[in-house]
Amino acid sequence: MADWRSVMTKWCEDMTAWCKIMTKWREDMTEWREGTAEWRKDIIEWHIEMTEWHKDMTEWRKEMIEWRRDMIEWREDITEWRKVMAEWRKVMKKWRRVMKKWRRVMPGWREDMIEWRRVMKKWRKDISEWREVMAEWRKVMTEWRKDMTEWRKACSWWRNTWFWFWRTWPGNWLRVVDVRAEAELEQVRREQEKAEEFAKNIEAESGIDYGWACQYAKDDYERIYEATKELDAKADSVIQYVSALSALVTGALIYGSKVSASMSEPAWVSAILVIAAAPFFAFSVSAICIAIDARKPKLHPHPPKPEDAVRYADYHGSNAETLFIGQYASAAAGLKVVAAEKGDKVQRAYRQFARAVIALSLPWLAKLIASFLGG
């Protein structure tokens, strides 16, 4: 037991010493941990500072790259500038040579300028006098304008008389444009546009018999085509009538001139007859020209060709004949435009022919007046 107690006592002493050592170690570890914590804070701050430094260095590198580029451009600019300066120096050398000559010329130029100033003073005096003259002229022109205004008011009756004479002058009958006919043609053209739109948008409904409509469209086209042919025939007849009448009148004038010569009548009688027949020939030529224009060959609108009709039937099938009404309607509307133009021209040709017939009375009146004056 004594040994056991001594052993235990020693063990307790050792454990006490160990506890002291451990306590000191714990105190040292606590200090070490505190130091380590401070070190970590310092390291974190250092990392933050290094990060900022890296950013600053990156910006600095970018700035340095830009600076190098600027320096390269600056060097290029300096090189160009040196070239320009070299050229400028050459020019300056030439300029100095020219300046020497210019200095020699300058005295003469100064004398010329002095003379020019004298001339300018004289010119200014002349201009002042001219302005005074122009002021007087303006006053005179103002008075003249007032007089002209009064004269125009006094002559207003003459202008009205002249305008009335011009409106009623028979020569205006030879005009080519007829406003009413143009309006009718415009209406026919609008109908043609409607027919073309109808041909594009036509649709066939099932259960309805369109046979009579198809036949009506064909008959309508044939009717307008026959009317166009009749208009051509009428224009041809106008040409024949006017030509025959012109030949007769020409023969009559020639025969009348020979009779006048055989009867020893004055020469002015024949001249008056020819002048009096001039309106007849003018209306005759106008009628023939208009009729020829009406007879001028033109491209007449017509329905599609047979081969196109076959393709149309293949494409539309059983409704092809019904839908083909639109093609006939479009062709008939286009042919109606041609017929309207021909009809207007034929109508104007007949009017000119009628005026030519009326103008035949002028030579007879001239003959009577000449006989009265000669008698």
Short mmCIF file of all heavy atoms in Angstrom, two decimals, residues 78-133:
data_model
loop_
_atom_site.label_atom_id
_atom_site.label_comp_id
_atom_site.label_asym_id
_atom_site.label_seq_id
_atom_site.Cartn_x
_atom_site.Cartn_y
_atom_site.Cartn_z
N ILE A 78 4.02 63.97 -87.05
CA ILE A 78 5.25 64.76 -87.09
C ILE A 78 5.99 64.52 -88.41
O ILE A 78 6.54 65.45 -89.03
CB ILE A 78 6.16 64.40 -85.89
CG1 ILE A 78 5.56 64.98 -84.60
CG2 ILE A 78 7.57 64.90 -86.10
CD1 ILE A 78 5.55 66.49 -84.56
N THR A 79 5.96 63.26 -88.87
CA THR A 79 6.60 62.94 -90.15
C THR A 79 5.93 63.70 -91.30
O THR A 79 6.60 64.30 -92.15
CB THR A 79 6.54 61.43 -90.41
OG1 THR A 79 7.15 60.74 -89.30
CG2 THR A 79 7.28 61.07 -91.68
N GLU A 80 4.57 63.66 -91.30
CA GLU A 80 3.85 64.40 -92.32
C GLU A 80 4.12 65.90 -92.21
O GLU A 80 4.28 66.60 -93.22
CB GLU A 80 2.34 64.13 -92.20
CG GLU A 80 1.94 62.70 -92.51
CD GLU A 80 2.15 62.36 -93.97
OE1 GLU A 80 2.06 63.29 -94.82
OE2 GLU A 80 2.42 61.18 -94.27
N TRP A 81 4.14 66.37 -90.96
CA TRP A 81 4.38 67.79 -90.76
C TRP A 81 5.76 68.19 -91.28
O TRP A 81 5.92 69.26 -91.87
CB TRP A 81 4.27 68.10 -89.27
CG TRP A 81 4.55 69.53 -88.93
CD1 TRP A 81 3.70 70.57 -89.06
CD2 TRP A 81 5.78 70.05 -88.42
NE1 TRP A 81 4.30 71.74 -88.66
CE2 TRP A 81 5.60 71.44 -88.26
CE3 TRP A 81 7.00 69.49 -88.08
CZ2 TRP A 81 6.59 72.27 -87.78
CZ3 TRP A 81 8.00 70.33 -87.59
CH2 TRP A 81 7.80 71.69 -87.45
N ARG A 82 6.74 67.32 -91.05
CA ARG A 82 8.09 67.62 -91.56
C ARG A 82 8.10 67.68 -93.08
O ARG A 82 8.76 68.55 -93.68
CB ARG A 82 9.06 66.55 -91.07
CG ARG A 82 9.39 66.69 -89.59
CD ARG A 82 10.31 65.57 -89.13
NE ARG A 82 10.63 65.72 -87.71
CZ ARG A 82 11.32 64.83 -87.01
NH1 ARG A 82 11.75 63.71 -87.61
NH2 ARG A 82 11.57 65.03 -85.73
N LYS A 83 7.33 66.76 -93.72
CA LYS A 83 7.25 66.81 -95.18
C LYS A 83 6.60 68.11 -95.64
O LYS A 83 7.07 68.76 -96.59
CB LYS A 83 6.45 65.61 -95.69
CG LYS A 83 7.14 64.28 -95.48
CD LYS A 83 6.26 63.15 -95.99
CE LYS A 83 6.92 61.79 -95.75
NZ LYS A 83 6.05 60.67 -96.21
N VAL A 84 5.49 68.46 -94.93
CA VAL A 84 4.80 69.70 -95.30
C VAL A 84 5.72 70.90 -95.09
O VAL A 84 5.74 71.84 -95.90
CB VAL A 84 3.51 69.84 -94.47
CG1 VAL A 84 2.87 71.20 -94.69
CG2 VAL A 84 2.52 68.73 -94.84
N MET A 85 6.45 70.88 -93.99
CA MET A 85 7.36 71.99 -93.72
C MET A 85 8.45 72.07 -94.78
O MET A 85 8.88 73.18 -95.18
CB MET A 85 7.99 71.82 -92.34
CG MET A 85 7.02 72.09 -91.20
SD MET A 85 6.35 73.77 -91.23
CE MET A 85 7.84 74.72 -90.90
N ALA A 86 8.90 70.90 -95.25
CA ALA A 86 9.91 70.92 -96.32
C ALA A 86 9.34 71.56 -97.58
O ALA A 86 10.00 72.39 -98.23
CB ALA A 86 10.39 69.50 -96.60
N GLU A 87 8.09 71.17 -97.92
CA GLU A 87 7.45 71.79 -99.07
C GLU A 87 7.24 73.28 -98.85
O GLU A 87 7.43 74.10 -99.75
CB GLU A 87 6.10 71.11 -99.35
CG GLU A 87 6.21 69.66 -99.77
CD GLU A 87 6.87 69.51 -101.13
OE1 GLU A 87 6.73 70.45 -101.96
OE2 GLU A 87 7.51 68.47 -101.37
N TRP A 88 6.84 73.61 -97.60
CA TRP A 88 6.60 75.02 -97.28
C TRP A 88 7.88 75.84 -97.42
O TRP A 88 7.87 76.98 -97.89
CB TRP A 88 6.05 75.11 -95.86
CG TRP A 88 5.78 76.52 -95.43
CD1 TRP A 88 4.73 77.30 -95.75
CD2 TRP A 88 6.63 77.31 -94.59
NE1 TRP A 88 4.82 78.53 -95.18
CE2 TRP A 88 6.00 78.57 -94.44
CE3 TRP A 88 7.84 77.09 -93.95
CZ2 TRP A 88 6.55 79.59 -93.68
CZ3 TRP A 88 8.39 78.11 -93.19
CH2 TRP A 88 7.75 79.34 -93.06
N ARG A 89 8.98 75.25 -97.01
CA ARG A 89 10.26 75.96 -97.14
C ARG A 89 10.60 76.22 -98.60
O ARG A 89 11.09 77.29 -98.96
CB ARG A 89 11.36 75.15 -96.47
CG ARG A 89 11.29 75.18 -94.95
CD ARG A 89 12.31 74.25 -94.34
NE ARG A 89 12.18 74.24 -92.87
CZ ARG A 89 12.85 73.41 -92.08
NH1 ARG A 89 13.67 72.50 -92.62
NH2 ARG A 89 12.68 73.46 -90.77
N LYS A 90 10.31 75.20 -99.44
CA LYS A 90 10.55 75.40 -100.87
C LYS A 90 9.68 76.53 -101.41
O LYS A 90 10.14 77.38 -102.18
CB LYS A 90 10.26 74.11 -101.63
CG LYS A 90 11.23 72.98 -101.31
CD LYS A 90 10.84 71.73 -102.08
CE LYS A 90 11.77 70.56 -101.72
NZ LYS A 90 11.38 69.32 -102.44
N VAL A 91 8.39 76.49 -100.97
CA VAL A 91 7.48 77.54 -101.43
C VAL A 91 7.93 78.91 -100.93
O VAL A 91 7.84 79.92 -101.65
CB VAL A 91 6.04 77.22 -100.96
CG1 VAL A 91 5.10 78.38 -101.26
CG2 VAL A 91 5.53 75.95 -101.63
N MET A 92 8.39 78.95 -99.69
CA MET A 92 8.84 80.23 -99.13
C MET A 92 10.04 80.78 -99.90
O MET A 92 10.18 81.99 -100.10
CB MET A 92 9.19 80.05 -97.66
CG MET A 92 7.96 79.91 -96.76
SD MET A 92 6.87 81.34 -96.85
CE MET A 92 7.91 82.60 -96.10
N LYS A 93 10.92 79.87 -100.33
CA LYS A 93 12.06 80.33 -101.12
C LYS A 93 11.59 80.97 -102.42
O LYS A 93 12.05 82.04 -102.81
CB LYS A 93 12.99 79.15 -101.41
CG LYS A 93 13.76 78.66 -100.19
CD LYS A 93 14.66 77.48 -100.55
CE LYS A 93 15.42 76.98 -99.31
NZ LYS A 93 16.29 75.81 -99.65
N LYS A 94 10.61 80.28 -103.07
CA LYS A 94 10.07 80.85 -104.30
C LYS A 94 9.35 82.16 -104.01
O LYS A 94 9.45 83.12 -104.78
CB LYS A 94 9.11 79.85 -104.95
CG LYS A 94 9.78 78.59 -105.44
CD LYS A 94 8.76 77.66 -106.07
CE LYS A 94 9.42 76.36 -106.54
NZ LYS A 94 8.42 75.42 -107.14
N TRP A 95 8.61 82.17 -102.87
CA TRP A 95 7.86 83.38 -102.53
C TRP A 95 8.80 84.56 -102.29
O TRP A 95 8.50 85.69 -102.67
CB TRP A 95 7.03 83.10 -101.28
CG TRP A 95 6.23 84.28 -100.83
CD1 TRP A 95 5.08 84.74 -101.35
CD2 TRP A 95 6.57 85.16 -99.75
NE1 TRP A 95 4.65 85.85 -100.68
CE2 TRP A 95 5.55 86.14 -99.68
CE3 TRP A 95 7.62 85.23 -98.84
CZ2 TRP A 95 5.56 87.15 -98.74
CZ3 TRP A 95 7.63 86.23 -97.91
CH2 TRP A 95 6.62 87.19 -97.86
N ARG A 96 9.93 84.30 -101.66
CA ARG A 96 10.90 85.37 -101.44
C ARG A 96 11.42 85.93 -102.75
O ARG A 96 11.61 87.15 -102.90
CB ARG A 96 12.05 84.85 -100.59
CG ARG A 96 11.66 84.63 -99.13
CD ARG A 96 12.79 84.00 -98.36
NE ARG A 96 12.40 83.74 -96.97
CZ ARG A 96 13.15 83.08 -96.09
NH1 ARG A 96 14.35 82.61 -96.47
NH2 ARG A 96 12.72 82.90 -94.86
N ARG A 97 11.63 85.02 -103.71
CA ARG A 97 12.07 85.50 -105.01
C ARG A 97 10.99 86.37 -105.66
O ARG A 97 11.29 87.41 -106.25
CB ARG A 97 12.39 84.31 -105.91
CG ARG A 97 13.58 83.48 -105.42
CD ARG A 97 13.71 82.22 -106.26
NE ARG A 97 14.75 81.34 -105.73
CZ ARG A 97 14.97 80.11 -106.18
NH1 ARG A 97 14.24 79.63 -107.19
NH2 ARG A 97 15.92 79.37 -105.63
N VAL A 98 9.73 85.88 -105.52
CA VAL A 98 8.63 86.65 -106.11
C VAL A 98 8.47 87.98 -105.40
O VAL A 98 8.16 89.01 -106.03
CB VAL A 98 7.32 85.82 -106.05
CG1 VAL A 98 6.14 86.66 -106.49
CG2 VAL A 98 7.45 84.58 -106.92
N MET A 99 8.64 88.00 -104.09
CA MET A 99 8.48 89.23 -103.33
C MET A 99 9.48 90.30 -103.76
O MET A 99 9.18 91.50 -103.75
CB MET A 99 8.62 88.95 -101.84
CG MET A 99 7.40 88.26 -101.23
SD MET A 99 5.91 89.26 -101.38
CE MET A 99 6.32 90.61 -100.28
N LYS A 100 10.66 89.87 -104.12
CA LYS A 100 11.64 90.84 -104.61
C LYS A 100 11.13 91.53 -105.86
O LYS A 100 11.20 92.76 -106.00
CB LYS A 100 12.97 90.13 -104.88
CG LYS A 100 13.68 89.65 -103.62
CD LYS A 100 14.98 88.95 -103.98
CE LYS A 100 15.69 88.46 -102.70
NZ LYS A 100 16.96 87.75 -103.02
N LYS A 101 10.57 90.70 -106.78
CA LYS A 101 10.01 91.30 -107.99
C LYS A 101 8.78 92.14 -107.67
O LYS A 101 8.57 93.20 -108.26
CB LYS A 101 9.63 90.19 -108.97
CG LYS A 101 10.82 89.37 -109.45
CD LYS A 101 10.36 88.29 -110.40
CE LYS A 101 11.54 87.44 -110.86
NZ LYS A 101 11.11 86.35 -111.78
N TRP A 102 7.96 91.64 -106.70
CA TRP A 102 6.74 92.36 -106.33
C TRP A 102 7.07 93.74 -105.75
O TRP A 102 6.37 94.72 -106.01
CB TRP A 102 5.96 91.53 -105.32
CG TRP A 102 4.69 92.18 -104.86
CD1 TRP A 102 3.53 92.26 -105.52
CD2 TRP A 102 4.51 92.85 -103.61
NE1 TRP A 102 2.59 92.93 -104.79
CE2 TRP A 102 3.17 93.31 -103.59
CE3 TRP A 102 5.32 93.11 -102.51
CZ2 TRP A 102 2.65 94.01 -102.52
CZ3 TRP A 102 4.80 93.80 -101.45
CH2 TRP A 102 3.48 94.25 -101.44
N ARG A 103 8.11 93.82 -104.96
CA ARG A 103 8.51 95.11 -104.39
C ARG A 103 8.92 96.09 -105.48
O ARG A 103 8.71 97.30 -105.34
CB ARG A 103 9.66 94.90 -103.42
CG ARG A 103 9.22 94.23 -102.11
CD ARG A 103 10.40 93.96 -101.22
NE ARG A 103 9.98 93.29 -99.99
CZ ARG A 103 10.83 92.83 -99.06
NH1 ARG A 103 12.15 92.95 -99.26
NH2 ARG A 103 10.37 92.23 -97.98
N ARG A 104 9.50 95.54 -106.53
CA ARG A 104 9.84 96.42 -107.64
C ARG A 104 8.59 96.93 -108.36
O ARG A 104 8.55 98.06 -108.84
CB ARG A 104 10.74 95.67 -108.63
CG ARG A 104 12.08 95.25 -108.04
CD ARG A 104 12.81 94.36 -109.02
NE ARG A 104 14.04 93.82 -108.41
CZ ARG A 104 14.80 92.90 -109.00
NH1 ARG A 104 14.45 92.42 -110.20
NH2 ARG A 104 15.89 92.48 -108.39
N VAL A 105 7.55 96.05 -108.43
CA VAL A 105 6.33 96.40 -109.17
C VAL A 105 5.42 97.30 -108.34
O VAL A 105 4.61 98.06 -108.88
CB VAL A 105 5.59 95.11 -109.59
CG1 VAL A 105 4.27 95.43 -110.27
CG2 VAL A 105 6.47 94.30 -110.53
N MET A 106 5.49 97.22 -107.01
CA MET A 106 4.56 97.92 -106.14
C MET A 106 4.52 99.43 -106.36
O MET A 106 3.44 100.04 -106.31
CB MET A 106 4.91 97.62 -104.68
CG MET A 106 4.34 96.30 -104.19
SD MET A 106 2.55 96.21 -104.36
CE MET A 106 2.06 97.40 -103.12
N PRO A 107 5.61 100.12 -106.59
CA PRO A 107 5.50 101.57 -106.83
C PRO A 107 4.59 101.90 -108.01
O PRO A 107 3.75 102.80 -107.93
CB PRO A 107 6.95 101.99 -107.09
CG PRO A 107 7.77 100.99 -106.35
CD PRO A 107 7.02 99.70 -106.48
N GLY A 108 4.75 101.13 -109.10
CA GLY A 108 3.87 101.37 -110.25
C GLY A 108 2.42 101.06 -109.91
O GLY A 108 1.50 101.77 -110.34
N TRP A 109 2.21 99.98 -109.13
CA TRP A 109 0.84 99.63 -108.75
C TRP A 109 0.20 100.71 -107.88
O TRP A 109 -0.98 101.01 -108.02
CB TRP A 109 0.88 98.30 -107.99
CG TRP A 109 -0.47 97.87 -107.51
CD1 TRP A 109 -1.43 97.25 -108.24
CD2 TRP A 109 -0.99 98.03 -106.19
NE1 TRP A 109 -2.54 97.01 -107.47
CE2 TRP A 109 -2.29 97.48 -106.20
CE3 TRP A 109 -0.49 98.58 -105.01
CZ2 TRP A 109 -3.09 97.47 -105.06
CZ3 TRP A 109 -1.29 98.57 -103.89
CH2 TRP A 109 -2.57 98.02 -103.92
N ARG A 110 1.00 101.32 -107.01
CA ARG A 110 0.47 102.39 -106.17
C ARG A 110 0.05 103.59 -107.01
O ARG A 110 -1.00 104.20 -106.77
CB ARG A 110 1.53 102.81 -105.15
CG ARG A 110 1.73 101.78 -104.05
CD ARG A 110 2.84 102.19 -103.12
NE ARG A 110 3.04 101.18 -102.07
CZ ARG A 110 4.04 101.22 -101.19
NH1 ARG A 110 4.93 102.21 -101.24
NH2 ARG A 110 4.16 100.26 -100.28
N GLU A 111 0.86 103.90 -108.00
CA GLU A 111 0.48 105.00 -108.89
C GLU A 111 -0.82 104.68 -109.63
O GLU A 111 -1.69 105.54 -109.79
CB GLU A 111 1.61 105.27 -109.88
CG GLU A 111 2.88 105.81 -109.21
CD GLU A 111 4.00 105.99 -110.20
OE1 GLU A 111 3.78 105.64 -111.40
OE2 GLU A 111 5.09 106.46 -109.81
N ASP A 112 -0.94 103.40 -110.08
CA ASP A 112 -2.18 103.01 -110.76
C ASP A 112 -3.38 103.10 -109.82
O ASP A 112 -4.47 103.51 -110.22
CB ASP A 112 -2.05 101.58 -111.28
CG ASP A 112 -1.00 101.47 -112.38
OD1 ASP A 112 -0.70 102.51 -113.01
OD2 ASP A 112 -0.48 100.35 -112.60
N MET A 113 -3.19 102.73 -108.56
CA MET A 113 -4.28 102.81 -107.59
C MET A 113 -4.69 104.25 -107.34
O MET A 113 -5.88 104.57 -107.19
CB MET A 113 -3.87 102.15 -106.28
CG MET A 113 -3.84 100.63 -106.34
SD MET A 113 -5.45 99.92 -106.75
CE MET A 113 -6.37 100.36 -105.29
N ILE A 114 -3.71 105.14 -107.29
CA ILE A 114 -4.04 106.57 -107.10
C ILE A 114 -4.86 107.07 -108.27
O ILE A 114 -5.87 107.78 -108.11
CB ILE A 114 -2.73 107.38 -106.93
CG1 ILE A 114 -2.05 107.00 -105.60
CG2 ILE A 114 -3.03 108.87 -106.97
CD1 ILE A 114 -0.65 107.56 -105.46
N GLU A 115 -4.46 106.65 -109.48
CA GLU A 115 -5.21 107.06 -110.67
C GLU A 115 -6.62 106.45 -110.66
O GLU A 115 -7.60 107.10 -111.02
CB GLU A 115 -4.44 106.60 -111.92
CG GLU A 115 -5.03 107.11 -113.22
CD GLU A 115 -4.93 108.62 -113.34
OE1 GLU A 115 -4.01 109.21 -112.72
OE2 GLU A 115 -5.76 109.21 -114.05
N TRP A 116 -6.69 105.18 -110.21
CA TRP A 116 -8.00 104.52 -110.14
C TRP A 116 -8.93 105.23 -109.16
O TRP A 116 -10.12 105.37 -109.40
CB TRP A 116 -7.79 103.06 -109.71
CG TRP A 116 -9.07 102.30 -109.55
CD1 TRP A 116 -9.83 101.76 -110.53
CD2 TRP A 116 -9.73 102.02 -108.31
NE1 TRP A 116 -10.93 101.14 -110.01
CE2 TRP A 116 -10.90 101.28 -108.63
CE3 TRP A 116 -9.45 102.30 -106.98
CZ2 TRP A 116 -11.78 100.85 -107.65
CZ3 TRP A 116 -10.33 101.86 -106.01
CH2 TRP A 116 -11.47 101.14 -106.34
N ARG A 117 -8.37 105.69 -108.04
CA ARG A 117 -9.18 106.42 -107.07
C ARG A 117 -9.72 107.72 -107.66
O ARG A 117 -10.86 108.11 -107.42
CB ARG A 117 -8.36 106.70 -105.82
CG ARG A 117 -8.12 105.46 -104.96
CD ARG A 117 -7.25 105.78 -103.78
NE ARG A 117 -7.01 104.59 -102.97
CZ ARG A 117 -6.20 104.55 -101.92
NH1 ARG A 117 -5.54 105.66 -101.55
NH2 ARG A 117 -6.03 103.43 -101.23
N ARG A 118 -8.88 108.38 -108.44
CA ARG A 118 -9.35 109.60 -109.09
C ARG A 118 -10.50 109.29 -110.05
O ARG A 118 -11.51 110.01 -110.09
CB ARG A 118 -8.19 110.25 -109.85
CG ARG A 118 -7.10 110.81 -108.94
CD ARG A 118 -5.93 111.29 -109.77
NE ARG A 118 -4.83 111.73 -108.91
CZ ARG A 118 -3.62 112.06 -109.37
NH1 ARG A 118 -3.36 111.99 -110.69
NH2 ARG A 118 -2.68 112.45 -108.53
N VAL A 119 -10.32 108.21 -110.81
CA VAL A 119 -11.38 107.82 -111.76
C VAL A 119 -12.66 107.45 -111.00
O VAL A 119 -13.77 107.78 -111.43
CB VAL A 119 -10.90 106.64 -112.63
CG1 VAL A 119 -12.03 106.11 -113.50
CG2 VAL A 119 -9.74 107.08 -113.52
N MET A 120 -12.52 106.76 -109.87
CA MET A 120 -13.68 106.38 -109.09
C MET A 120 -14.42 107.59 -108.53
O MET A 120 -15.65 107.61 -108.47
CB MET A 120 -13.26 105.46 -107.94
CG MET A 120 -12.90 104.04 -108.39
SD MET A 120 -14.28 103.20 -109.19
CE MET A 120 -15.41 103.04 -107.81
N LYS A 121 -13.67 108.60 -108.12
CA LYS A 121 -14.32 109.83 -107.65
C LYS A 121 -15.16 110.45 -108.76
O LYS A 121 -16.30 110.86 -108.55
CB LYS A 121 -13.27 110.81 -107.16
CG LYS A 121 -12.62 110.42 -105.84
CD LYS A 121 -11.60 111.46 -105.41
CE LYS A 121 -10.93 111.06 -104.09
NZ LYS A 121 -9.90 112.06 -103.68
N LYS A 122 -14.57 110.48 -109.96
CA LYS A 122 -15.31 111.03 -111.08
C LYS A 122 -16.53 110.16 -111.40
O LYS A 122 -17.62 110.67 -111.69
CB LYS A 122 -14.38 111.11 -112.29
CG LYS A 122 -15.02 111.79 -113.49
CD LYS A 122 -14.04 111.89 -114.64
CE LYS A 122 -14.70 112.56 -115.83
NZ LYS A 122 -13.76 112.64 -116.98
N TRP A 123 -16.35 108.83 -111.31
CA TRP A 123 -17.47 107.92 -111.59
C TRP A 123 -18.58 108.10 -110.58
O TRP A 123 -19.77 108.05 -110.92
CB TRP A 123 -16.94 106.48 -111.56
CG TRP A 123 -18.00 105.46 -111.78
CD1 TRP A 123 -18.54 105.08 -112.95
CD2 TRP A 123 -18.65 104.70 -110.75
NE1 TRP A 123 -19.50 104.11 -112.76
CE2 TRP A 123 -19.59 103.85 -111.40
CE3 TRP A 123 -18.54 104.63 -109.37
CZ2 TRP A 123 -20.39 102.98 -110.71
CZ3 TRP A 123 -19.34 103.75 -108.68
CH2 TRP A 123 -20.26 102.94 -109.34
N ARG A 124 -18.22 108.31 -109.32
CA ARG A 124 -19.24 108.54 -108.29
C ARG A 124 -20.04 109.80 -108.57
O ARG A 124 -21.25 109.85 -108.36
CB ARG A 124 -18.58 108.62 -106.92
CG ARG A 124 -18.10 107.26 -106.41
CD ARG A 124 -17.36 107.41 -105.10
NE ARG A 124 -16.88 106.11 -104.63
CZ ARG A 124 -16.11 105.94 -103.56
NH1 ARG A 124 -15.74 107.01 -102.84
NH2 ARG A 124 -15.71 104.74 -103.20
N LYS A 125 -19.34 110.84 -109.03
CA LYS A 125 -20.06 112.06 -109.38
C LYS A 125 -21.03 111.79 -110.53
O LYS A 125 -22.18 112.25 -110.51
CB LYS A 125 -19.06 113.15 -109.78
CG LYS A 125 -18.22 113.66 -108.62
CD LYS A 125 -17.25 114.73 -109.09
CE LYS A 125 -16.38 115.22 -107.93
NZ LYS A 125 -15.40 116.25 -108.38
N ASP A 126 -20.55 111.02 -111.53
CA ASP A 126 -21.43 110.70 -112.67
C ASP A 126 -22.62 109.86 -112.20
O ASP A 126 -23.75 110.06 -112.67
CB ASP A 126 -20.64 109.93 -113.74
CG ASP A 126 -19.53 110.78 -114.35
OD1 ASP A 126 -19.64 112.02 -114.28
OD2 ASP A 126 -18.57 110.20 -114.90
N ILE A 127 -22.37 108.94 -111.27
CA ILE A 127 -23.47 108.11 -110.76
C ILE A 127 -24.48 108.97 -110.01
O ILE A 127 -25.70 108.76 -110.10
CB ILE A 127 -22.91 106.99 -109.86
CG1 ILE A 127 -22.22 105.93 -110.71
CG2 ILE A 127 -24.01 106.35 -109.03
CD1 ILE A 127 -23.14 105.15 -111.61
N SER A 128 -23.98 109.93 -109.26
CA SER A 128 -24.90 110.83 -108.54
C SER A 128 -25.78 111.59 -109.52
O SER A 128 -27.00 111.70 -109.33
CB SER A 128 -24.10 111.79 -107.67
OG SER A 128 -23.33 111.10 -106.71
N GLU A 129 -25.15 112.08 -110.59
CA GLU A 129 -25.95 112.78 -111.60
C GLU A 129 -26.94 111.84 -112.27
O GLU A 129 -28.09 112.21 -112.53
CB GLU A 129 -25.01 113.39 -112.65
CG GLU A 129 -24.11 114.48 -112.08
CD GLU A 129 -23.15 115.00 -113.13
OE1 GLU A 129 -23.16 114.46 -114.26
OE2 GLU A 129 -22.38 115.94 -112.82
N TRP A 130 -26.49 110.58 -112.53
CA TRP A 130 -27.38 109.60 -113.16
C TRP A 130 -28.57 109.28 -112.25
O TRP A 130 -29.69 109.11 -112.73
CB TRP A 130 -26.58 108.34 -113.47
CG TRP A 130 -27.42 107.24 -114.05
CD1 TRP A 130 -27.82 107.11 -115.34
CD2 TRP A 130 -27.96 106.13 -113.34
NE1 TRP A 130 -28.57 105.98 -115.50
CE2 TRP A 130 -28.67 105.35 -114.27
CE3 TRP A 130 -27.90 105.70 -112.02
CZ2 TRP A 130 -29.33 104.19 -113.92
CZ3 TRP A 130 -28.55 104.54 -111.67
CH2 TRP A 130 -29.26 103.80 -112.59
N ARG A 131 -28.31 109.19 -110.95
CA ARG A 131 -29.40 108.93 -110.02
C ARG A 131 -30.43 110.06 -110.02
O ARG A 131 -31.64 109.82 -109.94
CB ARG A 131 -28.84 108.74 -108.62
CG ARG A 131 -28.14 107.40 -108.43
CD ARG A 131 -27.57 107.28 -107.04
NE ARG A 131 -26.93 105.98 -106.86
CZ ARG A 131 -26.24 105.63 -105.77
NH1 ARG A 131 -26.11 106.51 -104.77
NH2 ARG A 131 -25.68 104.44 -105.68
N GLU A 132 -29.93 111.28 -110.11
CA GLU A 132 -30.86 112.40 -110.18
C GLU A 132 -31.71 112.31 -111.45
O GLU A 132 -32.92 112.54 -111.42
CB GLU A 132 -30.07 113.71 -110.14
CG GLU A 132 -29.38 113.96 -108.81
CD GLU A 132 -28.53 115.21 -108.83
OE1 GLU A 132 -28.47 115.84 -109.92
OE2 GLU A 132 -27.94 115.56 -107.79
N VAL A 133 -31.03 111.96 -112.56
CA VAL A 133 -31.78 111.82 -113.82
C VAL A 133 -32.80 110.69 -113.71
O VAL A 133 -33.94 110.81 -114.18
CB VAL A 133 -30.80 111.57 -114.99
CG1 VAL A 133 -31.56 111.24 -116.27
CG2 VAL A 133 -29.91 112.78 -115.19
#
